[in-house]
Amino acid sequence: MKMRLPLALITNVRLLNSGFRIGHRIHNGVTKTSLLSSCNICSRVERKWIKPVGFDTGVKTYNSLTKQKEPLVLAQERIATWYSCGPTVYDHAHLGHAWYVSLLDQVQNVERRSYPYFEINVIHVMVITDIDDKIIQRSLEQNISPTVLARMHEEEFKRDMQALRVLPPAVYMRVTDNIPQIVAFVERIIGNGHVYVTSQGNVYFDTQSIGDRYGKLVNLGGIVGELGIIILCNGNIHKHLFALVCSSVFGSQLDIHSGGIDLAFPHHENEIAQSEAYHQCEQWGNYFLHSGHLHLKGSVEKMSKSLKNYVTIKDFLESYTANEFRLFCLLTRYRSAIDYSDASMNEARSTLSTISAFCHTAQAYMQGHLQCQPIEEGILWERLSATQSSVRKALADDFDTPKAVNVIMSLIHHGNCQLQPATKNNGPRCPAVFGAMLSYVREIMAVFGVDLLDRKEVHDSSGVLNNVVEELVHFRSKVRKFALSVEDQASQNPQTGSEIQKRHPQPDRVPLLKVCDALRNNLAPLGVHIKDRGTNSTWKITRGETRKN
């Protein structure tokens, strides 16, 4: 007789005399058991990581399976299969979600881009948890169906990620769309002999059936055989089963698995055990990347909905821009925890302002609107080449974005040192080198999701607006040049009695200068920024960057 198959999986840690403390909670009449704290385990069971055979990307990444950096080797040339844990859609997405997903996006973008990056086709699957105890409870509170609640917050999450310029995965996989696959998955684990059934009808995963492979992500020492995973036969769905959904896409081998560090055990540990038991393989996932947490400054707890210490993405974007958030993410290693505060966001804002100002000045020089002292062109070409090499090395070293940004800022500093205004052109112009620097800075920042061209905000009318502003600034520059014409006035030196010549703006033209200054100041809040450089002026339009201070 065929047993009725379970639809959920939950961790049951039965650690007799192990020093672990077991916590129980009851929901809808079902007892759930979870690991609350751990003891110190002195013994260690070595679990050998099998280095993949295939295409070496030239990247080294920290692998949670080995606790060290490993060469990133893909099963197929220039193709990376990547699974990540997505949100549980019972409430608004918050900045902690944005932090994790943006880091993931930046790492994947680095892999995707061609030279001087790595030209890898990333096939990314993200699972959306759209059935969960929290979703059911929230739907009861709001008197709507769990499905409607989940869809509302799923779409909000996708809109928030789009607002932060996060590329969507190749596919979102909803749990509720994959119930038949989940049932078939559990059925095959049973058929492969990795379970035992209790008299109450619960089905346990037998960790001893996979030898010492359980505990790959954490050091469980000699207690591996004491662990079990309960498959509950009560019709609920539990998150520890959700990774199996990606098996329907990627099969028995996965290149990269990612998630927050808090999910390493038991969530990801159980995913490994289940998947290897299902596929009867020695190593299902080759690389596990875990990101650090986002904290509100002064808090030791991660930002989370359950702790009610979060900032929604909508609220965040009322004070800061997507570009500023992307810079904020770049300034910390993806594996590190980070404090979110006004100070850290102001650092990101200042960095972005420096980058934008350089791009604006370099463009003005190329267009002939800025006269400078003689440019040491050879030095700049050498620095640009060295920068490109150093950035690539930093990104190949476990995606070290803070180091990459520091190298880029050094290049910008040396560029700014040579873009010093002069009253007249004292030497040959060198626009090509600044064109190359400008193109590189824009390109690398685009890789990181920072759009220096604000292309997301460009509308059909932008060409007309640019032409209008160009004419306005041109007219203003002519007025200023006329107003700045001076007259020589002779005065007597009181010490020597000799005459000295002083140059002053002609008095009747001073009001014109004041009107020009007023126009510049009044246009700035509207997003049109004019910068006077002697008798010439440059301008830029900042779209979608208005902020509440």
Side-chain angles (χ1 to χ4, degrees):
M1 179 177 177
K2 190 173 182 179
M3 182 178 60
R4 288 180 62 85
L5 291 175
L7 298 180
L9 202 67
I10 191 169
T11 301
N12 178 32
V13 189
R14 301 179 302 137
L15 305 176
L16 301 177
N17 301 319
S18 66
F20 282 79
R21 181 162 59 91
I22 310 303
H24 301 271
R25 61 188 179 89
I26 299 179
H27 180 69
N28 294 337
V30 179
T31 302
K32 295 188 175 181
T33 309
S34 58
L35 180 64
L36 299 182
S37 62
S38 62
C39 65
N40 293 324
I41 303 171
C42 297
S43 61
R44 177 176 177 83
V45 176
E46 295 293 338
R47 295 171 184 84
K48 185 178 180 181
W49 175 68
I50 304 170
K51 183 179 178 180
V53 176
F55 173 72
D56 192 333
T57 62
V59 175
K60 283 193 173 182
T61 186
Y62 185 88
N63 192 352
S64 295
L65 290 172
T66 62
K67 305 298 184 295
Q68 65 184 18
K69 295 176 186 177
E70 303 287 357
L72 180 59
V73 178
L74 305 177
Q76 301 182 66
E77 185 173 358
R78 300 194 184 282
I79 296 177
T81 55
W82 192 314
Y83 165 80
S84 68
C85 301
T88 301
V89 284
Y90 74 96
D91 205 340
H92 303 292
H94 59 70
L95 216 56
H97 299 129
W99 160 251
Y100 159 64
V101 178
S102 295
L103 290 176
L104 177 67
D105 184 57
Q106 288 171 345
V107 169
Q108 291 179 344
N109 282 347
V110 168
E111 291 190 345
R112 288 186 182 107
R113 296 301 178 106
S114 59
Y115 182 84
Y117 314 108
F118 308 104
E119 202 172 7
I120 298 169
N121 183 13
V122 178
I123 305 173
H124 177 205
V125 169
M126 177 180 284
V127 168
I128 299 287
T129 304
D130 63 339
I131 184 64
D132 179 90
D133 288 345
K134 293 177 181 178
I135 294 174
I136 295 171
Q137 181 61 38
R138 185 62 56 85
S139 71
L140 292 174
E141 294 170 358
Q142 298 185 7
N143 195 28
I144 58 176
S145 76
T147 300
V148 171
L149 177 77
R151 293 295 182 271
M152 288 169 49
H153 291 302
E154 177 186 333
E155 292 307 311
E156 181 186 34
F157 168 77
K158 292 176 180 177
R159 288 194 302 270
D160 286 340
M161 295 305 102
Q162 184 179 21
L164 293 174
R165 301 195 176 107
V166 173
L167 292 178
V171 62
Y172 288 106
M173 303 284 282
R174 296 192 190 109
V175 172
T176 56
D177 292 341
N178 290 273
I179 300 302
Q181 292 92 324
I182 293 175
V183 173
F185 186 91
V186 177
E187 182 179 25
R188 183 166 173 177
I189 292 178
I190 294 173
N192 287 341
H194 293 282
V195 303
Y196 58 92
V197 184
T198 70
S199 58
Q200 292 79 26
N202 289 329
V203 182
Y204 286 74
F205 185 94
D206 184 3
T207 58
Q208 292 181 330
S209 70
I210 59 172
D212 65 356
R213 298 208 310 275
Y214 189 82
K216 289 185 177 184
L217 293 174
V218 291
N219 181 17
L220 295 178
I223 65 170
V224 174
E226 299 293 334
L227 300 178
I229 302 174
I230 299 178
I231 304 177
L232 296 178
C233 298
N234 65 350
N236 288 344
I237 302 294
H238 192 273
K239 65 183 179 181
H240 291 304
L241 263 175
F242 295 169
L244 64 90
V245 175
C246 80
S247 290
S248 64
V249 179
F250 296 135
S252 61
Q253 189 172 55
L254 177 68
D255 290 317
I256 302 171
H257 185 301
S258 63
I261 187 61
D262 58 317
L263 298 178
F265 185 86
H267 184 37
H268 295 164
E269 196 68 63
N270 291 343
E271 291 177 353
I272 294 173
Q274 296 157 24
S275 298
E276 292 181 357
Y278 174 84
H279 293 293
Q280 296 288 279
C281 61
E282 289 291 316
Q283 185 167 285
W284 167 64
N286 291 330
Y287 300 88
F288 278 73
L289 276 60
H290 288 106
S291 64
H293 288 148
L294 182 70
H295 301 259
L296 287 174
K297 188 171 183 180
S299 172
V300 296
E301 302 287 350
K302 72 169 184 175
M303 186 179 291
S304 70
K305 288 179 284 192
S306 59
L307 296 174
K308 300 185 184 304
N309 64 346
Y310 64 89
V311 177
T312 67
I313 297 170
K314 180 180 178 181
D315 289 341
F316 171 83
L317 289 175
E318 290 184 357
S319 300
Y320 301 100
T321 68
N323 277 344
E324 289 166 347
F325 182 71
R326 301 295 292 221
L327 251 300
F328 168 76
C329 295
L330 289 172
L331 296 176
T332 300
R333 294 291 294 269
Y334 77 92
R335 290 192 288 114
S336 302
I338 187 172
D339 284 340
Y340 167 75
S341 65
D342 287 338
S344 58
M345 285 307 305
N346 285 335
E347 179 185 3
R349 177 176 287 178
S350 176
T351 302
L352 178 62
S353 178
T354 300
I355 297 171
S356 298
F358 167 75
C359 292
H360 179 58
T361 304
Q363 191 168 26
Y365 174 80
M366 293 175 63
Q367 293 172 333
H369 297 161
L370 176 63
Q371 296 180 355
C372 293
Q373 299 291 340
I375 301 296
E376 299 181 51
E377 184 179 12
I379 292 178
L380 290 181
W381 282 117
E382 290 175 3
R383 288 197 174 277
L384 176 58
S385 178
T387 297
Q388 292 171 326
S389 176
S390 296
V391 167
R392 191 181 194 282
K393 288 179 182 177
L395 297 178
D397 182 16
D398 197 28
F399 312 105
D400 191 344
T401 57
K403 185 174 182 179
V405 171
N406 284 337
V407 173
I408 294 165
M409 297 308 292
S410 177
L411 174 68
I412 288 174
H413 168 74
H414 285 93
N416 284 333
C417 287
Q418 297 213 36
L419 286 173
Q420 296 301 314
T423 56
K424 61 180 180 178
N425 193 357
N426 294 323
R429 288 174 43 75
C430 306
V433 67
F434 285 103
M437 293 169 67
L438 180 61
S439 295
Y440 175 73
V441 170
R442 284 175 173 170
E443 176 192 358
I444 186 63
M445 298 314 294
V447 169
F448 296 143
V450 179
D451 188 358
L452 297 176
L453 297 176
D454 291 316
R455 285 169 293 201
K456 181 175 179 293
E457 299 295 334
V458 174
H459 302 290
D460 292 339
S461 62
S462 61
V464 175
L465 176 60
N466 287 347
N467 290 334
V468 170
V469 174
E470 176 70 32
E471 287 299 315
L472 176 63
V473 173
H474 183 62
F475 174 78
R476 179 180 174 274
S477 295
K478 285 186 174 181
V479 173
R480 286 189 73 252
K481 189 172 184 179
F482 173 75
L484 287 170
S485 61
V486 298
E487 61 180 7
D488 294 334
Q489 295 180 347
S491 61
Q492 192 175 54
N493 188 320
Q495 296 180 347
T496 63
S498 60
E499 287 189 350
I500 56 175
Q501 297 292 325
K502 290 186 177 181
R503 312 192 75 190
H504 299 278
Q506 298 184 39
D508 60 340
R509 300 180 185 179
V510 170
L512 289 176
L513 288 175
K514 292 182 178 180
V515 171
C516 288
D517 290 345
L519 177 61
R520 179 195 60 208
N521 297 337
N522 290 336
L523 288 177
L526 302 177
V528 178
H529 302 275
I530 301 174
K531 188 168 185 179
D532 294 322
R533 306 175 185 277
T535 58
N536 294 321
S537 300
T538 60
W539 61 273
K540 67 176 180 178
I541 297 177
T542 308
R543 300 179 178 90
E545 300 284 331
T546 55
R547 313 179 181 97
K548 292 181 180 179
N549 293 318

